[in-house]
Amino acid sequence: MATDFKSIPIIDISLLLAKCDDPKMGEDPGVCRVVKQLDQACREAGFFYVVIFMHKGHGIPESLVNEVKRITHEFFDLTYEEKLKIKLTPAAGYRGYQRIGENVTKGIPDTHEAIDCYKEIKQEMYGSLGKPMEGCNQWPLNPPNFKSLMEEYISLCTDLSRNIMRGIALALGGSPYEFEGERAGDPFWVSRMIGYPGVSIANGQAQPENDIGCGAHTDYGLLTLVNQDDDITALQVRNLSGEWISAPPIPGTFVCNIGDMLKLFSNGLYESTLHRVINNSPKYRVCIAYFYETNFDAAVEPLDICVRRTGGTAKFCRAVYGQHLVSKVTTNFVTP
């Protein structure tokens, strides 16, 4: 369970990534050290930084990590009319651009704009379960290389997340492959390119209409990778005392946090921690959030190994990931 942490731990996962394809990776001393750190971070905070540029094999070039932020800034700098060409609607499978105030957290409009995209679901792929999410992603034509750049980035984030989850599986006491096969062998993913306006300045005083860029929430799936602008601190994580702990950007890292489905799999050993975004800077802030999920139709329930570690009783009922996602997505947006 989460404790009263005061800062977000930093974990160098290079030793884990170096052995991620070895079935006996759990026997490696270096991997064991990383696994221990992951376990402590997931139990105590639910958040951690991963150092991603220490190991050349992680598969995400630093240039690409920076370029996706630059091109996202470029898109949000376009006119409102241009951005509306890919407007998010239910008919589009909740994919596309949403203006400031259209994303709602617990009934309150958020002060951010975004492009939302999901792993594409073909018609009748999951029957009625997947119907609301069917469709193709709406990518802007301007900037012209936006689609190709983001698809490359998302593919690499998927690979990186799978490898981090192998470490988390070991941390829970299972095999490296607990979260593959029927659980997450064909992982669904969500990606949001988010822009948070800076506070306006009038007569030397900050005048925010609403300072909550994104209200307090937990994430839906297994693992989130956050790629945020390097010069603005806005992400905050809440500890058990109710204190909001800042997660400032650290160049060369992703902020990672665990989601509702991993909390359920772990039978509460790991917490999906509340977090929010408040941009008090006068500068516009960009964040690319990648969400690694279970299989869309996965039935998620506490792992036997986790039930044994928590007293022998399952604390959560079975949940179908796709139902959980759809229940959130269909209530999170104002689409006039």
Side-chain angles (χ1 to χ4, degrees):
M1 296 292 292
T3 59
D4 287 347
F5 56 92
K6 299 295 183 182
S7 62
I8 310 299
I10 303 171
I11 303 174
D12 178 1
I13 60 171
S14 57
L15 294 173
L16 172 67
L17 297 178
K19 296 286 187 177
C20 63
D21 293 325
D22 183 352
K24 297 183 179 181
M25 60 187 291
E27 300 174 10
D28 182 87
V31 170
C32 289
R33 286 195 295 273
V34 177
V35 166
K36 184 177 180 180
Q37 293 176 65
L38 286 171
D39 182 56
Q40 182 174 357
C42 290
R43 281 187 290 105
E44 296 183 355
F47 268 75
F48 52 94
Y49 294 90
V50 292
V51 180
I52 57 172
F53 300 140
M54 296 293 288
H55 179 64
K56 294 180 180 179
H58 68 74
I60 307 183
E62 184 174 7
S63 58
L64 180 60
V65 170
N66 292 328
E67 181 64 11
V68 294
K69 289 183 286 192
R70 187 201 65 77
I71 204 169
T72 300
H73 271 286
E74 188 176 339
F75 172 80
F76 288 131
D77 283 342
L78 297 174
T79 65
Y80 180 55
E81 290 72 23
E82 182 70 20
K83 290 182 283 193
L84 275 183
K85 290 179 179 179
I86 59 166
K87 178 177 173 58
L88 182 153
T89 65
Y94 297 91
R95 304 160 191 269
Y97 169 76
Q98 54 177 193
R99 62 177 173 80
I100 293 171
E102 284 187 335
N103 193 84
V104 174
T105 302
K106 297 181 180 177
I108 301 174
D110 293 317
T111 306
H112 72 250
E113 56 185 333
I115 299 175
D116 286 8
C117 58
Y118 301 86
K119 187 174 184 177
E120 295 184 353
I121 296 179
K122 296 178 181 178
Q123 194 169 6
E124 299 302 324
M125 190 172 181
Y126 297 109
S128 60
L129 176 66
K131 193 70 176 177
M133 306 301 300
E134 289 178 357
C136 298
N137 289 315
Q138 298 193 83
W139 298 107
L141 297 178
N142 184 21
N145 60 331
F146 195 99
K147 178 179 185 288
S148 59
L149 200 69
M150 287 299 177
E151 287 184 335
E152 178 187 5
Y153 177 77
I154 288 166
S155 176
L156 295 174
C157 283
T158 300
D159 292 340
L160 177 60
S161 298
R162 180 183 295 110
N163 291 331
I164 295 173
M165 286 303 302
R166 288 178 177 174
I168 290 175
L170 289 170
L172 287 171
S175 81
Y177 310 113
E178 292 291 336
F179 298 109
E180 298 178 30
E182 292 183 355
R183 293 181 180 128
D186 181 25
F188 194 70
W189 56 260
V190 181
S191 187
R192 304 193 73 219
M193 297 107 233
I194 313 170
Y196 299 92
V199 295
S200 59
I201 304 297
N203 298 321
Q205 300 293 319
Q207 300 288 335
E209 294 181 9
N210 171 19
D211 65 353
I212 306 296
C214 187
H217 65 285
T218 59
D219 292 343
Y220 312 151
L222 292 174
L223 183 71
T224 305
L225 306 181
V226 178
N227 176 11
Q228 54 182 336
D229 274 339
D230 287 338
D231 55 349
I232 301 171
T233 297
L235 176 61
Q236 300 177 351
V237 184
R238 197 177 78 171
N239 67 14
L240 281 184
S241 293
E243 297 175 292
W244 288 100
I245 308 300
S246 290
I250 300 176
T253 71
F254 283 148
V255 180
C256 295
N257 63 277
I258 63 179
D260 298 337
M261 295 297 103
L262 185 51
K263 176 180 179 177
L264 199 161
F265 272 131
S266 74
N267 206 32
L269 275 170
Y270 294 168
E271 186 63 64
S272 51
T273 308
L274 279 171
H275 52 287
R276 68 183 184 184
V277 177
I278 299 179
N279 183 13
N280 287 323
S281 166
K283 298 176 65 175
Y284 191 97
R285 174 185 182 265
V286 151
C287 162
I288 293 85
Y290 169 86
F291 305 88
Y292 183 82
E293 319 287 83
T294 67
N295 296 353
F296 187 81
D297 58 353
V300 180
E301 58 188 342
L303 300 174
D304 289 342
I305 50 174
C306 297
V307 172
R308 291 195 295 270
R309 287 181 61 183
T310 52
T313 302
K315 299 177 181 178
F316 304 99
C317 297
R318 176 183 294 194
V320 176
Y321 166 75
Q323 290 177 346
H324 185 64
L325 175 69
V326 169
S327 71
K328 298 287 188 177
V329 167
T330 54
T331 56
N332 272 8
F333 303 111
V334 176
T335 52

